[in-house]
Amino acid sequence: MEDGELAKSLLVTQQPGNIRISNGFGSNDIGSSASASGVTPVLLLSAFVTACSAFAGGFVAGYSAPAESGIIADLGLSVAEYSVFGSILTIGGMVGAVISGKLADIIGRKYTMWTLDIFYIMGWLAIYFAKVSKMCQTVLYRKRRKGAWLLDLGRLSLGFGYGLSCYVAPTYLSEITPKNLRGGITSVSMAMIPVSVSVAYLIGSVINWRALALIGAIPCLLLLFGLFFIPESPRWLAKIGREKEFEASLQHLRGKNVNISEEAADIKDYTENIQNIPEDKILDLFQQKYAHLLIVGIGLMALQQFGGSNGYAYYMDEIFELAGVPSITGFIVVSIPQIPAIALGSIMIEKFGRRTLLMVSVTGECLGCFLTGLSFVLQNLNWWMEATPTLMLSGIVVFEVSYSLGIGPIPWIIISEIFPINIKGSAGSICNAVNWFCTWLVSFTFNFLVEWSPAGTFFIYGSMSCLGVLFIAKLVPETKGRTLEEIQASLTHILQ
C-alpha cells in the first residue's frame, strides 16, 4: 500500500492529552492514563540490568587513561603502540554502532544485550592475559608484539560491545518503561556512563592495569546474570507478531494485578498500523518526511561530542598536569559532584522536560569550558597563579556536572523516543554511528588543538555548546509525559 493510500485509511487527530488513530474499523486513544504506571520489582530489575550495560561501557572509556603508564612499563610498548590501543576502541565502536539498530530489530533487544556482554567479557579477558607466559617472553620484541596484539584485540572487542550498548540500552528502557517514569529511569541508567568513567579513574590510580581490567568485568558479569531474569521488550515482540509473549512481557513489567488491556491495545493497534508501511532502508531515511527527526537525532549526537566531553574524559591526566593539579586530587574533586547531579537530573527531567534540562546542561558546559580556558589564559600570562588550579578544577567540575545533568543521557533518551518502529533500527544506527565518528574526531584532534592553544581548545568547545543552545531551542521537540506512540505519531507525517 502506498503512503498516500494509507493516509486515507488512517486518520490521526490530536486531542488534548492524547492522539486518536482511526483505521477505518474503529479507533483508539494513544497516550491515555493507562500507560502511566508505577514502579514494579521487574521494572527496577530491568533498569538495573540495563544500567550495568551503561556502567560497563563507561568503564571501557575510562580505562585507558589510568592504565597507560602500567601497560607501557609492563609490556614494553612504545607510545605509538599504546596510542593504537587507546584509539582502536573507536573503530570497534563505529562497527558496533553501524549494525546496532538492525541487530536489535532482528534478534531483539535482550539478545543484543547478550551479544554485547559476550564481547565485553572477551575484551577484558584479552586485556588481562596480554601479559603473556614466560615461554613467549624469551625475546623482548616478541613480548611487545604479542602483548600489543592481545591488547588491541581486547580493546576492539570492548569497543564493539560499547557501540551496541549505546543504542540498545536506551531503546530497551524506553520501550519497557511507562511514560511517567521513562525519562527519569532512562536518565539514571545512561548517566552511569560518566559515573563509571570517573570510577575507572579513581580505582585505576591505586591498582594496576590488570586488576583494573578484572574490575571492569564485574558489571559485565552482573549484566550476564541479570539478563536471565528480565523480559524482552513488549514493543519489539508486538512488532514481530508474538502476541502472547508481548502480553506476558507487558504484564510482567506492569505487575500481575494491573489491567494492561488498554495499554496493550494501544501498542498493538499502532504497531499494526505502522507496519502497513514498508520498512524503510537506511537510504530511504534521507527523505523530507524524516528530515526533522534525522536533523534532531544527528544534531544531538554531534552536540554531545563537540561540547568536548571526550576531550575531558580521555585526556583528564594531561589537563590536570597542565594545570598543576595532582591527578588523584583532581579525579576525586571532579567525581563526587556527579552523583547528586545525576539524582537531580532524574527528578527534573519529568518535571521540567527534556528541552529545558538540555538547555541548562549545555549552558553549564559552555560555562565550564570558559572557566577552563580562562585558567589557561591566566597561566600563560602568569597572572593570579595561586588561583589557577582552583579555577581549572572549578571549570572541570562545572562541565562534568552539567554533562551528567542532561547532555550526557538525554540525547540517547530522545533518540530512543522519536523514531517510529518501522525506521527505528536504521535511524538509530545512523545516529549511533555519527556519535562514534564525532567521538573519534574529538579524541583525534584534541592533542593537536592543545598543542596549538590549550585555552583556544576549550573556547572552541564552549562555542559549540553555545550554538547547541540555539539548536535545542529551535528544533528539539519536547517528549515528556507522552507515550512512544503519541510522540512518534505527532512528529511524523506517515500516519497523517
Side-chain angles (χ1 to χ4, degrees), residues 175-243:
E175 291 178 350
I176 67 169
T177 312
K179 66 179 183 179
N180 56 312
L181 301 172
R182 188 176 63 240
I185 289 178
T186 310
S187 176
V188 170
S189 177
M190 297 310 294
M192 290 298 103
I193 294 176
V195 167
S196 59
V197 170
S198 298
V199 169
Y201 287 151
L202 291 173
I203 297 177
S205 65
V206 296
I207 66 174
N208 67 54
W209 60 274
R210 287 192 295 156
L212 187 62
L214 290 181
I215 290 175
I218 292 175
C220 306
L221 295 176
L222 291 174
L223 174 61
L224 185 70
F225 181 71
L227 284 169
F228 284 103
F229 302 99
I230 65 174
E232 178 57 90
S233 162
R235 284 178 167 88
W236 180 77
L237 292 169
K239 179 191 175 190
I240 64 171
R242 289 157 61 174
E243 187 170 331

Side-chain angles (χ1 to χ4, degrees), residues 47-255:
F48 171 77
V49 170
T50 310
C52 287
S53 173
F55 191 94
F59 207 93
V60 168
Y63 177 80
S64 59
E68 179 175 0
S69 59
I71 290 177
I72 289 176
D74 288 354
L75 297 182
L77 301 182
S78 66
V79 174
E81 286 173 326
Y82 192 82
S83 296
V84 172
F85 168 74
S87 61
I88 204 169
L89 172 74
T90 311
I91 297 174
M94 283 193 281
V95 174
V98 167
I99 70 168
S100 59
K102 281 299 181 182
L103 185 66
D105 279 352
I106 293 169
I107 67 174
R109 291 27 172 161
K110 186 175 173 180
Y111 280 101
T112 303
M113 285 194 278
W114 281 110
T115 303
L116 68 89
D117 198 42
I118 291 170
F119 279 92
Y120 275 157
I121 293 171
M122 290 194 305
W124 287 124
L125 289 176
I127 290 173
Y128 178 80
F129 287 110
K131 190 166 186 177
V132 296
S133 65
K134 291 183 179 180
M135 186 170 61
C136 294
Q137 295 180 17
T138 54
V139 180
L140 177 61
Y141 176 80
R142 189 177 180 185
K143 173 187 171 183
R144 288 175 61 193
R145 297 315 308 161
K146 183 70 173 178
W149 180 82
L150 283 172
L151 282 173
D152 293 346
L153 181 64
R155 190 72 167 167
L156 187 68
S157 179
L158 290 171
F160 182 78
Y162 192 13
L164 292 177
S165 178
C166 286
Y167 171 77
V168 73
T171 297
Y172 175 75
L173 277 180
S174 72
E175 291 178 350
I176 67 169
T177 312
K179 66 179 183 179
N180 56 312
L181 301 172
R182 188 176 63 240
I185 289 178
T186 310
S187 176
V188 170
S189 177
M190 297 310 294
M192 290 298 103
I193 294 176
V195 167
S196 59
V197 170
S198 298
V199 169
Y201 287 151
L202 291 173
I203 297 177
S205 65
V206 296
I207 66 174
N208 67 54
W209 60 274
R210 287 192 295 156
L212 187 62
L214 290 181
I215 290 175
I218 292 175
C220 306
L221 295 176
L222 291 174
L223 174 61
L224 185 70
F225 181 71
L227 284 169
F228 284 103
F229 302 99
I230 65 174
E232 178 57 90
S233 162
R235 284 178 167 88
W236 180 77
L237 292 169
K239 179 191 175 190
I240 64 171
R242 289 157 61 174
E243 187 170 331
K244 289 184 179 179
E245 293 173 66
F246 153 67
E247 292 180 355
S249 174
L250 188 60
Q251 189 74 70
H252 198 39
L253 287 162
R254 300 295 180 260

